[in-house]
Every structure is written in C-alpha cells, then in structure tokens.
Amino acid sequence: GDARAADPARHGVYAAALTAIEGLRISDCLLAYAPPCQEQSRFDRAWAEICGEVDRQLAILQRSLVKAGASTEELQEKHGCWIRPGAGDLATSRDVANKAIRALMMQITEDVDIARLTSWAAVRQPVPLLPPMAPASSPWLSYPAAFSPPGACDMFGLAADTFWPSDEPPAPWRDVSGLFSMFPSVDTALRRLQRRGIDLSRFVVNLGAANGACGWGSLYDPANCLLRDRSYNATGIVFEGDEVGLARLRRLYGRSSRVHLRAGFTTPRMATRDVLSVMPHSGDIDLLKVDVDNCDVCFVEAMLQAGVRPKFIHVEITDYVPPDLEARMPFNGRLMGQNACGPLGECMCGSLGAFLHAASGYRLYYVEFVNAVLVRADLYEHVAAGPQLSEDELWRLGWLCNPLRTVTVWTHTTIFRRGGLDVTATMDSKVPVVERRRLVEDLFPDKAARREYSVSVRQLGG
C-alpha cells in the first residue's frame, strides 16, 4: 500500500518490480493468443518487445532483491520468454510467472508493518497506524511507462504533496486503491472550506452505504467516514439494498435521530424524494456519494435537477472510458435486488465524461482510482492547489497511470481482462476519438442496438 509514495531509496526497485509484474501478465495474455490466432510476424514483434522489457527489469531486480532470486531463476529456465521466442507450454509459463509475481510482490511490500495493520483492524480507526507519507521530494510511482500509450504518464513524476495547499501539511490517507493519495480527502477539503469562511451544513447523502464501514482500499467511503467522525457531527441519509450490509447499518443507525436509514433498493426518483424530505431547505448539502452500480449518473442527475446542490459529489466511474467520451446505460429496474451484471459488468455506473456532462456547475476535483470527486464550481478556488490539470490529465493521473490499474481484481478493466479482452485501446489518446467511441460502443453491441447503451463524444473542459 505504501508503494506509490515510496521510499526514494527503493523507488527504482518498486518501479522495476511493477514493470516486470505487468510485463509477465501481458506476456501471459499474448501467449494465450499466439499464432494461429494472430499473424506470426506481428506476434513475434510484440513478444520480443514485452519479453525484452521484462528481462531488463529482472536484471535490475536481481541486483537488488536477493530473496526473489530463486523464483526469477526458475522463470528464466521455464518461461517462454527465455526458452525461445514464443515457445514454452502456456500452463508452465503461467505457473512460473505467477510464482515470480508473488515473490516480487512480497519483496516490494516487505516494509508494511503487519502488527500495526492488525492493531488498526482491531480498533477500526479510519486511517491505519502506518509510517507517515513519504517526504515531498519522493517521486510517485505510476503504471509502467513501457506498457502505457506513448507519453500518457510521462508528466507524472510528481511529489507526494503536489496538490496540497501550501499553508497546511499533508494528512496521509488511503483511497479506494489502497495507496496513499496525493490529493486531500473529502473531509479534509470540507474542513478547509470551513476555515475559508464557507458554512457547512454537515449533511451527507450516501447512496450505497454497504455496511457503514469507514476504512481504506475497497472499504473507503467518504460519506461513511464523515458520519462516523464524531468531531464532524454530521447528519444525513443513507441507502442500502443488500441485506448483509443492512444488518450492520441497522445496528449503527436504526435508532439514530441524526441519520435516516432507507432499507431496500431504490430508484433515482424515489431516492431524490427521500433526500428532499430530510435535507436542509437550502439544498446546500456537504456531500453526495453514489455507488449503486445501476446508472449512478441517473441518481446524480435527478438530485441536481431537483435542486440539491452538494459541495462535493463522490461517484464510482466506468474506469476505462476517458473523459472525452460519455458512456452510459439507463437505470434498469429489473436489476434491483439482483446480482445480474453479467460476466463483463454490464451494470454501468457511467463514465467520467457522462458525470461531468450531467453535473453542470461542477468541476472535476480529482480522480481517485475508480472514483471521481467533483466540486461545485463556486467553491473550486478554495480547495484547488498545485498545477491546474485538465480533465484528461486528472483522469490519467488518477486512473490510467495508477500502478494498480491492471492488478486490482474488482476494476472494470481487470474484469474485461479475465474475460480475455484488453480495453487499453479505449484509453489511448493517440487513437482518434471517433475510433475510440466505436471501440467503447462495440463492447456491448446488443445493448447498443436496443438503445440500452450509448456512447458519444464530448468536449473536454478544465
């Protein structure tokens, strides 16, 4: 989890390990589609490029990571990259590659203090008791440049405190990826607004509260964190349809006078009605957070059209679609209460571009892996700091260039990869936007034909 803000002395080791791991994953995919699935000459060129990069990175690691030596030596004895170009049994190559990946992951995470993590889990603190964020001079890791669209991540050798206001020190926190973030968390940004003289309503809306937990990684939920933070003294309304999560939410808020609990699945119209019935009359709430996996952008639209004006909007996005495209599916009432998203995750939240189009009067604050944070335009100058990046740059920094983009198992991109489909081309700005629009639309051709899925080009802002 510490790797993105790594110890400067080990930055090269982290970068080499992550590049080698990704190269081995790509080689596994490439070998699975070896000739006759594709032209031999094309395969040979790609194979030589990928394997050459893996070999270069392993040479760096073998000088630095003694404990990983046995696994990497076996890799070079049995993997197709070293036997001869394109050779090697797929199962054997995959087995030795997985062993090497595990060994490398153990090496690059050996600094994590397991005792402190265990202590944090026991007392359920919102931020784990880990060493402080790396100093400002420490460069942050990104997805391997060797496997990125050309130039996509070149500008992101940024320091750990790049986007923090100069008058306050960084407060370490881990976002949904599990890595330390270089941006302020939502609660930090809200407190900054208060220091700037902006009144806080201390009212929060959480559509998809799960079990009410405030943690990090997949458990990070800014709305839950605000509601659990006694110093913030928040009120609000939470929605959850899953019975497992509801059991804990009922224990937390079943008798609460400050948090309204809505049990069961809902629609954009019903959720908006419920929010309007309990929110401050001004509509100026602090946070709207949406994660329902069923046209999340429809919920944002309904709330804003009804006059709800949150200071911040926190949403899950369809990660592989860049902000110059709007991709969305309509709300589907048939999916309420069902795990019916299909093997490729056909329950679409909405792309970043779709949310930016729907949220008129808002600006993109940052992209937090598979989530995005929008801030009301009249408040942007109070919380913005560091270089003013465009929407595309913020998306690339937060998602495309995140070192865990193809590693974390629950992202849309890795779901497609497990299905045998690499969606990287949809994210490559060198590919004309009209062509990328067609590629994104072709992911769900049946839905597009039934007008249950639309993809359009939008003008970038920011």
Side-chain angles (χ1 to χ4, degrees), residues 357-405:
H357 177 84
S360 176
Y362 284 79
R363 291 186 61 172
L364 180 61
Y365 190 24
Y366 56 84
V367 173
E368 170 216 313
F369 203 43
V370 299
N371 295 331
V373 179
L374 280 60
V375 60
R376 214 169 62 207
D378 61 301
L379 303 174
Y380 179 80
E381 65 180 38
H382 296 290
V383 294
Q388 301 300 298
L389 301 184
S390 68
E391 292 171 353
D392 179 68
E393 289 169 333
L394 287 168
W395 172 78
R396 285 190 280 133
L397 175 60
W399 166 250
L400 181 65
C401 301
N402 190 296
L404 300 184
R405 170 165 65 82

Side-chain angles (χ1 to χ4, degrees), residues 256-403:
S256 173
S257 60
R258 63 185 186 88
V259 179
H260 304 271
L261 175 60
R262 295 293 185 267
F265 292 88
T266 190
T267 67
R269 182 184 62 82
M270 293 167 56
T272 301
R273 177 202 63 192
D274 290 343
V275 169
L276 291 173
S277 70
V278 297
M279 74 175 190
H281 293 302
S282 66
D284 183 7
I285 67 174
D286 288 351
L287 173 64
L288 167 63
K289 175 250 163 179
V290 185
D291 183 5
V292 297
D293 297 330
N294 190 346
C295 192
D296 296 26
V297 69
C298 296
F299 287 84
V300 172
E301 281 179 328
M303 297 281 179
L304 297 181
Q305 289 169 4
V308 182
R309 301 299 292 172
K311 295 179 179 69
F312 291 93
I313 301 174
H314 186 283
V315 291
E316 181 182 349
I317 59 175
T318 302
D319 50 43
Y320 56 86
V321 184
D324 60 354
L325 294 175
E326 297 177 35
R328 58 184 293 172
M329 295 179 184
F331 179 79
N332 190 343
R334 298 190 304 273
L335 297 178
M336 292 169 60
Q338 304 178 38
N339 184 16
C341 291
L344 295 181
E346 290 92 334
C347 302
M348 181 173 281
C349 304
S351 70
L352 176 59
F355 281 106
L356 291 169
H357 177 84
S360 176
Y362 284 79
R363 291 186 61 172
L364 180 61
Y365 190 24
Y366 56 84
V367 173
E368 170 216 313
F369 203 43
V370 299
N371 295 331
V373 179
L374 280 60
V375 60
R376 214 169 62 207
D378 61 301
L379 303 174
Y380 179 80
E381 65 180 38
H382 296 290
V383 294
Q388 301 300 298
L389 301 184
S390 68
E391 292 171 353
D392 179 68
E393 289 169 333
L394 287 168
W395 172 78
R396 285 190 280 133
L397 175 60
W399 166 250
L400 181 65
C401 301
N402 190 296

Side-chain angles (χ1 to χ4, degrees), residues 71 74-75 78-79 91-101:
S71 294
E74 183 182 18
L75 185 75
K78 299 180 180 179
H79 193 274
T92 300
S93 288
R94 180 173 295 166
D95 179 60
V96 295
N98 285 337
K99 287 181 181 178
I101 288 171

Side-chain angles (χ1 to χ4, degrees), residues 12 15-17 19-20 47-63 76 82 146-147:
T19 303
W47 188 255
E49 180 181 348
I50 298 300
C51 292
E53 187 63 38
V54 172
D55 195 39
R56 283 190 291 274
Q57 301 306 321
L58 287 180
I60 295 172
L61 294 171
Q62 286 173 330
R63 294 193 295 268
Q76 292 169 322
W82 289 273
F147 307 128

